[in-house]
Amino acid sequence: MFLEQPTDWEQSLTECLPTAGGTLADHGGELTVRNEASEITGSDWDHDMTVVVAFPSVEDTRARYEG
């Protein structure tokens, strides 16, 4: 499942960051990379930020995004 890309990053971060940590922790997730100066090659990406989240298993990942 892919989430829709935000059009207003500042608003999205302000609204999402306070609850994101708890949501990730509930499913064993961990923010592993946050890069605000990404350079994307080989595809189109119109934003400056890239975030990578890791979960202990595929099942935990699915539980977070499908549940």
Side-chain angles (χ1 to χ4, degrees), residues 14-62:
T14 300
E15 292 174 359
C16 294
L17 282 181
T19 58
T23 301
L24 292 176
D26 288 347
H27 295 283
E30 175 183 10
L31 179 65
T32 59
V33 176
R34 177 178 174 200
N35 184 344
E36 294 184 22
S38 301
E39 181 180 332
I40 306 301
T41 59
S43 66
D44 293 331
W45 180 251
D46 296 331
H47 305 289
D48 296 329
M49 184 182 297
T50 301
V51 175
V52 176
V53 177
F55 291 92
S57 69
V58 171
E59 291 79 17
D60 291 315
T61 304
R62 287 185 180 133

